[in-house]
Amino acid sequence: MLSQKTIEIIKSTVPVLEVHGTAITKRFYQMMFAKHPELLNIFNHANQKQGRQQTALANAVYAAALYIDKLETILPVVKQIGHKHRSLGVKAEHYPIVGENLLAAIKDVLGDAATDEIIQAWAEAYGVIADAFIGVEHEMYEEAGGQPGGWVDFREFIVQRKVKESDVITSFYLVPADGQPISTYEPGQYVSVKVELPGEQYTHIRQYSLSDAPGNAYYRISVKREDAMQDKPAGKVSVYLSEEVKEGDSLRLSAPAGDFTLQQEDSRPVVLLSGGVGLTPMISMLNTLIKSGTDRPITFIHAAKNGNVHAMKQAVEELAAKHPQLSVHWCYTQPTEKDRLNGAFQKEGYIDLPWLQKVIDTKEASYYFCGPIPFMKTINGALLEWGVPAADIHYEFFGPAATLA
């Protein structure tokens, strides 16, 4: 337990963190990687370069300071980050390294403003926060390794099938190299894939949503090839998987993780909305619902640039033809002439609230969405404007958590 004085000191730093939080976390990563370059085998280098990881950590530190006297308030965030840490292989022994460098970064950025009293208070607070993460993640490791077909850390899988789903998305059907069973998962969860790229010093880990219903003898991930765009370089891992990995090759996977999952006990209508490759967890949820035999009304809405990049369209339409409780709607921002001639979409442009109100039968439903951040901000804003309760809105960020405000 923290003393009242320590709590007061931590809370007094909240305004400072609001202003300097990202500068502190940016310096933190610089210092930590300089002293412990081996941790570059765990962290996503692209998210570091784009500043997403620094921003996400700054937001987490800010929230921890704000609720330091009520840490149970941020327990959902702790669990969400804990899933990612367990999937990446973050262990208890990493936390002292993080603490040492975080305190050093606070001192480095704030200078004389970071008094000995403030640094000592943050050292105590970090110890409490770290213990919370370590405890949560310990339980997650035990659960991952203890269930039938489960394992801890990374396990070798073979690419049994590789299927091109669109011009930019490819599915990989993965079976365990040891021929043993694999653990089940909740629709919406993801796995981490660890690869060693030719010519690269450090391993790279990426997290991909499982894109099929659980209960199969394989895991399926569907990967979008991230090509270079303006000042944004191509995605090293996605290009490697799409262009270099062949059927019969092996990949190392961590056990399924994640807290963005379908609430299957809910009997109300369900609305699944996706943009781009954000459809992968939605497909898992859709296939699970259909496989379960539920009669829940399902509305499946997907936004894509055009038909060339629209993955799994035929599979979803075939499900809709067989299951009257499922309605599907496509939104294309830049349809091709072929798309127009074939009537391949129902809306041109971007999804908006008036259109959603036309295609969704009832507001009283559970909503799940995933996609690029601008898409997610639009959907979240539209649902809230419509009056959908926040408790009925569920979403997942690809990569570090951001804000939809």
Side-chain angles (χ1 to χ4, degrees):
M1 294 292 291
L2 296 173
S3 69
Q4 186 59 37
K5 183 178 180 181
T6 296
I7 290 171
E8 289 171 359
I9 293 172
I10 295 298
K11 280 187 167 291
S12 74
T13 65
V14 167
V16 177
L17 292 174
E18 193 170 14
V19 176
H20 299 286
T22 302
I24 290 170
T25 54
K26 183 178 180 180
R27 185 66 181 128
F28 155 73
Y29 281 116
Q30 291 171 345
M31 298 174 82
M32 183 174 70
F33 291 144
K35 295 178 182 177
H36 298 275
E38 72 279 4
L39 293 180
L40 287 167
N41 289 307
I42 296 177
F43 286 86
N44 185 316
H45 307 177
N47 288 335
Q48 288 290 322
K49 290 179 180 178
Q50 295 167 19
R52 294 186 64 190
Q53 194 70 57
Q54 294 90 330
T55 301
L57 178 58
N59 291 338
V61 172
Y62 174 81
L66 189 63
Y67 297 105
I68 193 65
D69 54 341
K70 298 177 182 177
L71 285 178
E72 66 276 5
T73 304
I74 63 169
L75 187 58
V77 176
V78 172
K79 288 185 175 179
Q80 183 183 67
I81 296 173
H83 275 286
K84 291 185 180 293
H85 283 179
R86 198 277 296 157
S87 182
L88 292 169
V90 173
K91 300 291 177 61
E93 56 264 30
H94 294 131
Y95 279 90
I97 297 172
V98 171
E100 175 190 343
N101 287 281
L102 182 59
L103 295 175
I106 291 173
K107 183 67 176 176
D108 188 69
V109 171
L110 299 184
D112 292 340
T115 63
D116 290 345
E117 188 178 48
I118 287 176
I119 294 298
Q120 180 58 37
W122 263 105
E124 293 178 25
Y126 177 80
V128 171
I129 296 167
D131 285 346
F133 275 98
I134 291 169
V136 166
E137 289 162 18
H138 176 73
E139 291 180 3
M140 289 179 176
Y141 275 108
E142 288 197 329
E143 182 181 356
Q147 64 175 298
W151 71 98
V152 175
D153 296 327
F154 287 83
R155 180 177 175 187
E156 185 179 1
F157 279 70
I158 303 299
V159 180
Q160 185 182 59
R161 290 175 59 206
K162 182 178 179 181
V163 178
K164 191 173 177 64
E165 304 284 6
S166 75
D167 284 358
V168 295
I169 295 177
T170 301
S171 286
F172 297 82
Y173 291 75
L174 307 166
V175 296
D178 59 14
Q180 297 301 306
I182 55 176
S183 57
T184 189
Y185 57 90
E186 294 295 320
Q189 289 192 305
Y190 55 81
V191 291
S192 286
V193 179
K194 179 186 285 189
V195 298
E196 296 178 2
L197 300 179
E200 295 279 339
Q201 181 179 1
Y202 301 105
T203 58
H204 292 258
I205 302 176
R206 295 293 184 273
Q207 294 171 326
Y208 297 107
S209 296
L210 292 156
S211 61
D212 205 349
N216 298 302
Y218 60 82
Y219 292 144
R220 184 176 75 175
I221 59 172
S222 301
V223 179
K224 179 190 176 189
R225 188 187 68 246
E226 298 290 350
D227 297 317
M229 186 180 296
Q230 298 173 346
D231 59 345
K232 183 179 177 183
K236 290 182 178 180
V237 176
S238 67
V239 170
Y240 174 76
L241 291 173
S242 299
E243 297 183 357
E244 303 298 330
V245 173
K246 305 290 190 294
E247 291 180 354
D249 288 349
S250 65
L251 295 170
R252 286 180 289 169
L253 271 62
S254 63
D259 62 348
F260 174 63
T261 57
L262 178 68
Q263 297 177 1
Q264 298 186 63
E265 69 282 357
D266 192 344
S267 60
R268 295 176 300 162
V270 58
V271 180
L272 307 175
L273 302 110
S274 56
V277 76
L279 94 165
T280 52
M282 301 298 112
I283 290 289
S284 178
M285 293 182 185
L286 173 62
N287 288 354
T288 300
L289 287 164
I290 295 298
K291 194 174 180 180
S292 73
T294 182
D295 58 359
R296 291 173 68 180
I298 308 166
T299 304
F300 191 95
I301 299 170
H302 181 63
K305 183 177 180 180
N306 53 50
N308 295 334
V309 296
H310 184 173
M312 304 178 184
K313 178 181 180 182
Q314 182 178 346
V316 174
E317 290 182 340
E318 287 175 356
L319 288 177
K322 296 176 183 177
H323 302 277
Q325 79 272 27
L326 169 61
S327 63
V328 299
H329 309 274
W330 313 130
C331 176
Y332 288 176
T333 56
Q334 298 177 35
T336 64
E337 201 56 41
K338 181 180 177 182
D339 292 332
R340 297 183 195 280
L341 289 172
N342 293 339
F345 58 96
Q346 287 73 49
K347 177 173 174 55
E348 181 174 352
Y350 294 94
I351 293 175
D352 54 31
L353 180 55
W355 184 70
L356 287 177
Q357 291 172 325
K358 289 180 182 177
V359 300
I360 298 174
D361 290 336
T362 174
K363 183 175 69 174
E364 308 303 322
S366 289
Y367 296 81
Y368 299 83
F369 60 89
C370 186
I373 291 177
F375 166 86
M376 294 175 63
K377 286 183 176 180
T378 296
I379 297 301
N380 190 58
L383 295 179
L384 292 175
E385 182 183 343
W386 195 6
V388 176
D392 291 337
I393 299 175
H394 314 279
Y395 53 85
E396 169 89 317
F397 289 103
F398 282 156
T403 176
L404 295 185

